[in-house]
């Protein structure tokens, strides 16, 4: 069926804004917005429940542009439907300090739900949104009142489907039956290098059928077909839906549509003149006729939709006041008022027990104590729950009960982490995800994205060093801790015993300005005796664990399992203090006076010891100091033999201190 002329004219507003903004910036991707304009017209004007005057309305539908290079599509939609994104903002596309950067960035423009730069992570975030919606709905909805009830719409392209993460997350979405996830695949057959058939010949329909999705195929420029497909997608509540939309990239450009020329470069002034003529668009650049604006404006409709939900929620609050207050608390991101006090009481209990156990076990104990206080925690592991020790007695898998609090992610480290980002972005949950520290490498880019977006995601990593032993160098992390510590906005904790492990969990759960990585040992670690002041100082990321005997001559800095080595060396030395540094990032946030008290600048004799890459520690010990750690990959052997082989021993620490104080 042919799209009516007036509807095509409405969609053409996206096309002209996209090509004009890209041309003005002399950089960008006009092809995807021009090719997907008809899809966007149907989804945003007819199906999306959102309120431009309140972009953070809790029950709004979520929209994710996974092919984020086509960002002018989303910016045009936000502008046209009435969000606080002006035509001047569109003219500033890709310019410094604008609301319209090259890819959608969380926090820059209202209505942007997530940062979608790396291809594939947008659809992963969308799975996280849909998972959060389903779980939150199961936890709060009542038979008579549905207060969590929205869809997640995701646009994606060939690049997203070529990225391996799309397999991980779409497979899991099908298994979990995320029926309120609707994906629109821009099947235009073009990527940067040209026609994709030479490198992407997958049968996408059969692929998604195998995942357990509903698959629909339409002409992406036929509004009636798109409308019918979307209705069918919304009607299928047991399966996610992908709508394969056959489109023409750069539609409207006489010489560049259907070609890679329109993918990632401006059309050019002459071609834009021809495109305007082909589209029948007579207005000049960045001018949208009033009748087109009126057709797009969603402010009144959005306000009415939200008002209707507010009435439903008021009825819910009247009938179920406890649940309503809890939902509001969780969506606001606030913790229960008594959580910090209870967490501190737990830390005191842990200190009194003085247990010598692996910090991965200490982590599980902390989960057992703290998670019952926080029903918003949604845990998970990449098929390693029994090794990561991330299950606790109250954990219940969402695959068995949609109202559960634990996700068995399977062997999907990258997908798991990006899904968790979506869960955090949705609101109502604090997700934690777990794997071996070595396999953080699979998830690295999603860890970066949680840090870039400053989301409260907790990344749990166990088997933290050569101390894991016989599995050998493929499983023994060396450079990973340094990589995490070098990530802006990320706090990385490597606790040395049960007390520091409990403190690290408290820090991660209460930290609202970014993610946290918690790094735990496989092997048992000796309990360290502390005063109450030292417990309080441990939360500052670095503190004096053992005061010097006599005049201070040298400082030993250690983390994790190597704190015990430092303490053994301390017993053999005079004039030495031991500084435990479980979280260097948190330590560096402390005021200068505290940092100076812990690491006096006049004491240049410093030794750092950590069973990880040595390079990180030079900034703490200086060029005159010594670092005992790893500068090669590991070996397969019992842990004790490995520490001896690589020279990470008490004897080595003692020798290093004596050498620099001689």
């Amino acid at each position: 069926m042919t799209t009516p002329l007036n509807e095509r004219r409405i969609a053409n507003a996206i096309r002209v804004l996209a090509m004009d903004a890209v041309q003005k910036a002399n950089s960008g991707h006009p092809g995807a917005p021009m090719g997907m304009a008809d899809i966007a017209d149907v989804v945003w004007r007819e199906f999306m429940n959102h309120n431009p005057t309140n972009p953070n309305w809790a029950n709004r539908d979520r929209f994710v542009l996974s092919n984020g290079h086509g960002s002018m599509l989303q910016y045009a939609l936000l502008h046209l439907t009435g969000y606080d994104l002006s035509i001047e903002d569109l003219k500033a596309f890709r310019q410094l300090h604008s609301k319209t950067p090259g890819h959608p960035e969380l926090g820059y423009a209202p209505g942007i739900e997530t940062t979608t730069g790396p291809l594939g992570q947008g659809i992963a975030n969308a799975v996280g949104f849909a998972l959060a919606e389903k779980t939150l709905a199961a936890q709060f909805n009542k038979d008579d009142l549905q207060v969590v009830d929205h869809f997640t719409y995701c646009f994606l392209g060939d690049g997203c489907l070529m990225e391996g993460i799309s397999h991980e997350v779409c497979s899991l979405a099908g298994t979990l039956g995320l029926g309120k996830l609707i994906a629109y695949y821009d099947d235009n057959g073009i990527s940067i290098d040209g026609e994709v058939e030479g490198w992407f010949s997958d049968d996408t329909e059969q692929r998604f059928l195998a995942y357990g999705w509903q698959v629909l195929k339409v002409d992406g420029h036929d509004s009636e077909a798109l409308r019918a497909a979307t209705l069918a997608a919304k009607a299928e509540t047991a399966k996610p839906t992908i709508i394969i939309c056959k489109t023409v990239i750069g539609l409207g450009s006489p010489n560049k549509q259907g070609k890679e020329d329109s993918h990632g470069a401006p059309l050019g002034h002459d071609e834009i003149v021809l495109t305007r003529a082909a589209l029948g668009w007579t207005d000049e650049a960045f001018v949208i006729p009033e009748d087109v604006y009126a057709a797009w404006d969603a402010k009144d409709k959005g306000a009415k939709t939200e008002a209707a939900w507010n009435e439903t929620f008021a009825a819910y609050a009247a009938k179920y006041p406890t649940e309503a207050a809890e939902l509001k608390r969780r969506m606001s991101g606030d913790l229960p008022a008594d959580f910090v006090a209870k967490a501190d009481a737990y830390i005191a209990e842990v200190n009194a027990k003085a247990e010598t156990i692996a910090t991965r076990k200490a982590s599980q104990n902390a989960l057992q104590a703290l998670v019952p206080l926080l029903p918003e925690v949604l845990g998970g592991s990449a098929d390693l729950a029994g090794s990561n020790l991330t299950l606790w007695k109250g954990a219940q898998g969402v695959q068995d009960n949609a109202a559960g609090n634990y996700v068995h992610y399977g062997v999907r480290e990258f997908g798991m982490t990006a899904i968790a980002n979506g869960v955090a972005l949705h609101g109502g949950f604090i997700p934690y995800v777990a794997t071996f520290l070595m396999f953080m490498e699979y998830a690295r880019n999603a860890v970066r994205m949680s840090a870039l977006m400053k989301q409260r995601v907790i990344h749990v990593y166990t088997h933290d060093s050569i101390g894991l032993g016989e599995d050998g160098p493929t499983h023994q992390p060396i450079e990973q801790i340094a990589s995490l510590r070098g990530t802006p906005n990320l706090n990385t904790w490597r606790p040395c015993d049960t007390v520091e492990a409990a403190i690290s969990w408290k820090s991660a759960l209460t930290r609202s300005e970014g993610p946290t990585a918690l790094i735990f040992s496989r092997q048992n670690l000796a309990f360290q005796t502390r005063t109450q002041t030292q417990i309080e100082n441990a939360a500052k990321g670095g503190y004096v664990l053992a005061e010097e005997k006599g005049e201070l001559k040298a400082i030993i800095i250690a983390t994790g399992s190597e704190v015990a080595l430092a303490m053994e060396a301390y017993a053999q030395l005079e004039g030495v203090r031991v500084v435990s540094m479980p979280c260097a990032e948190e330590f560096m946030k402390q005021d200068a006076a505290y940092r100076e008290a812990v690491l006096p600048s006049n004491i240049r004799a410093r030794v750092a010891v950590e069973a990880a890459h040595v390079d990180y520690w030079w900034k703490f010990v200086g060029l005159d100091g010594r670092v005992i750690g790893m500068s090669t990959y590991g070996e397969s052997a019992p842990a004790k033999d490995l520490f001896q082989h690589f020279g990470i021993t008490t004897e080595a620490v003692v020798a290093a201190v004596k050498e620099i104080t001689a």
Side-chain angles (χ1 to χ4, degrees):
M1 181 179 293
T2 303
T3 302
L5 180 61
N6 61 337
E7 191 159 10
R8 177 58 58 81
R9 181 167 178 261
I10 293 168
N12 283 345
I14 295 173
R15 295 185 170 98
V16 295
L17 286 174
M19 67 182 186
D20 288 343
V22 171
Q23 188 64 42
K24 187 173 189 302
N26 196 31
S27 129
H29 299 75
M34 296 174 74
M36 297 193 78
D38 300 310
I39 305 169
D41 168 41
V42 170
V43 174
W44 275 67
R45 289 202 308 117
E46 299 185 40
F47 291 100
M48 277 274 291
N49 285 326
H50 62 116
N51 184 2
T53 59
N54 183 14
N56 296 319
W57 167 41
N59 200 50
R60 68 193 181 278
D61 287 337
R62 269 55 168 188
F63 175 79
V64 179
L65 184 70
S66 189
N67 47 342
H69 53 271
S71 56
M72 266 310 303
L73 172 63
Q74 190 163 10
Y75 298 146
L77 288 166
L78 293 171
H79 169 72
L80 291 166
T81 55
Y83 286 79
D84 183 18
L85 196 68
S86 69
I87 201 71
E88 294 304 315
D89 291 323
L90 301 193
K91 290 179 181 179
F93 179 54
R94 288 183 165 235
Q95 304 309 300
L96 185 64
H97 302 313
S98 77
K99 292 183 178 181
T100 50
H103 291 76
E105 298 280 357
L106 183 70
Y108 284 64
I112 301 295
E113 301 283 4
T114 181
T115 297
T116 52
L119 291 175
Q121 289 203 56
I123 180 61
N125 294 163
V127 172
F129 283 125
L131 171 61
E133 191 277 341
K134 182 176 181 177
T135 304
L136 201 67
Q139 292 177 354
F140 283 96
N141 284 350
K142 306 296 183 181
D143 290 340
D144 56 334
L145 290 166
Q146 311 289 303
V147 290
V148 181
D149 183 17
H150 63 79
F151 284 83
T152 299
Y153 297 96
C154 180
F155 287 5
L156 70 159
D158 291 304
C160 296
L161 292 183
M162 282 187 266
E163 292 286 0
I165 190 175
S166 68
H167 163 68
E168 295 184 28
V169 302
C170 293
S171 169
L172 186 61
T175 299
L176 296 179
L178 302 181
K180 289 187 176 178
L181 172 61
I182 304 175
Y184 296 79
Y185 166 35
D186 181 26
D187 184 14
N188 60 41
I190 298 292
S191 66
I192 292 174
D193 282 353
E195 296 181 7
V196 301
E197 61 184 13
W199 49 88
F200 184 51
S201 59
D202 299 13
D203 187 329
T204 301
E205 178 181 6
Q206 291 301 314
R207 172 183 168 185
F208 277 81
L209 286 172
Y211 291 152
W213 288 51
Q214 175 179 225
V215 180
L216 306 172
K217 300 177 75 172
V218 299
D219 176 348
H221 304 298
D222 185 333
S223 296
E224 286 299 325
L226 287 162
R227 197 169 290 120
T230 303
L231 288 170
K234 294 187 71 172
E236 174 53 80
T237 58
K239 299 178 180 180
T241 296
I242 184 169
I243 303 174
I244 300 174
C245 306
K246 195 63 182 176
T247 62
V248 177
I249 191 171
L251 183 69
S253 171
N255 297 302
K256 296 188 177 183
Q257 69 177 20
K259 301 176 182 178
E260 64 269 24
D261 293 357
S262 68
H263 176 90
L267 297 182
H269 291 291
D270 292 343
E271 187 66 16
I272 285 177
V273 171
L274 296 175
T275 303
R276 272 186 155 73
L279 296 175
W281 195 272
T282 57
D283 294 279
E284 59 190 52
F286 295 105
V287 174
I288 304 296
E290 287 304 315
D291 62 331
V292 175
Y293 269 129
W296 275 107
D297 195 328
K299 294 192 295 293
D300 289 344
K301 178 184 176 183
K304 290 175 182 177
T305 302
E306 182 181 353
W309 181 83
N310 287 338
E311 290 182 8
T312 300
F313 190 80
Y316 181 88
K319 192 170 183 180
Y320 309 105
T322 301
E323 291 90 336
E326 179 70 358
L327 180 58
K328 288 176 70 175
R329 178 191 71 78
R330 286 175 54 173
M331 290 302 293
S332 72
D334 295 331
L335 298 180
D338 60 352
F339 175 73
V340 169
K342 289 183 176 180
D344 287 340
Y346 171 69
I347 292 168
E349 291 175 11
V350 171
N351 187 56
K353 286 182 179 179
E355 292 180 295
T356 290
I357 57 177
T359 50
R360 62 171 175 163
K361 179 59 180 174
S363 168
Q364 185 181 48
N365 292 345
L367 286 170
Q368 188 64 55
L370 300 179
V371 173
L373 308 176
L374 297 174
E376 58 263 52
V377 172
L378 184 65
S381 176
D383 201 47
L384 287 170
S387 295
N388 299 144
L389 300 186
T390 48
L391 283 171
W392 53 285
K393 291 179 181 177
Q396 186 170 18
V398 298
Q399 77 279 4
D400 300 318
N401 177 6
N405 55 16
Y406 195 86
V407 184
H408 291 274
Y409 284 101
V411 187
R412 301 181 177 98
E413 294 87 359
F414 191 6
M416 169 184 73
T417 307
I419 287 171
N421 290 342
V423 170
L425 288 160
H426 178 278
F429 292 101
I430 300 174
Y432 72 82
V433 290
T435 186
F436 289 170
L437 177 56
M438 185 63 247
F439 301 149
M440 177 278 295
E441 294 289 357
Y442 283 135
R444 185 68 185 88
N445 201 270
V447 176
R448 182 178 188 269
M449 297 306 290
S450 66
L452 192 152
M453 294 187 284
K454 300 181 180 179
Q455 292 303 295
R456 183 155 55 182
V457 179
I458 302 172
H459 306 281
V460 179
Y461 301 122
T462 68
H463 296 59
D464 66 342
S465 72
I466 57 172
L468 66 88
E470 292 85 347
D471 276 339
T474 61
H475 282 49
Q476 292 166 4
I478 303 298
E479 71 276 26
Q480 285 65 41
I481 300 177
S483 174
L484 291 168
R485 288 180 179 140
T487 304
N489 305 327
L490 177 69
N491 271 9
T492 300
W493 288 80
R494 186 175 183 243
C496 75
D497 67 357
T498 55
V499 172
E500 287 188 2
I503 290 170
S504 71
W505 264 109
K506 177 195 170 187
S507 175
L509 290 166
T510 56
R511 184 174 189 247
S512 60
E513 67 271 20
T516 302
L518 304 179
I519 300 175
F520 300 119
S521 72
R522 179 195 183 202
Q523 73 272 33
N524 290 344
L525 302 187
F527 175 81
Q528 304 297 331
T529 302
R530 296 174 185 80
T531 65
Q532 181 58 36
T533 298
Q534 286 174 316
I535 291 174
E536 293 169 3
N537 286 342
K540 298 176 181 178
Y543 64 106
V544 179
L545 178 62
E547 294 279 0
E548 60 273 12
K549 293 169 280 188
E551 180 186 354
L552 179 60
K553 298 177 180 178
I555 301 172
I556 304 172
I557 307 170
T559 80
S561 51
E562 289 66 66
V563 169
L565 296 181
M567 292 299 290
E568 291 169 2
Y570 169 81
Q572 302 176 35
L573 297 163
E574 298 290 333
V576 173
R577 76 168 46 166
V578 173
V579 170
S580 178
M581 188 80 72
C583 183
E585 299 84 11
E586 198 62 41
F587 177 73
M588 294 306 296
K589 295 173 189 173
Q590 306 305 312
D591 60 55
Y594 178 79
R595 298 197 308 271
E596 176 68 18
V598 175
L599 297 175
S601 55
N602 65 314
I603 305 300
R604 300 177 64 83
R606 300 181 182 185
V607 175
V609 54
E610 183 178 60
H613 204 291
V614 297
D615 275 5
Y616 178 79
W617 290 103
W618 292 111
K619 67 180 181 180
F620 284 101
V621 303
L623 296 180
D624 297 330
R626 299 291 184 273
V627 181
I628 298 170
M630 299 292 295
S631 57
T632 68
Y633 293 112
E635 294 288 347
S636 176
K640 183 178 180 181
D641 295 342
L642 291 171
F643 278 94
Q644 188 69 38
H645 173 74
F646 288 108
I648 305 173
T649 64
T650 301
E651 294 77 15
V653 177
V654 170
V657 171
K658 289 182 176 180
E659 181 184 355
I660 61 175
T661 56

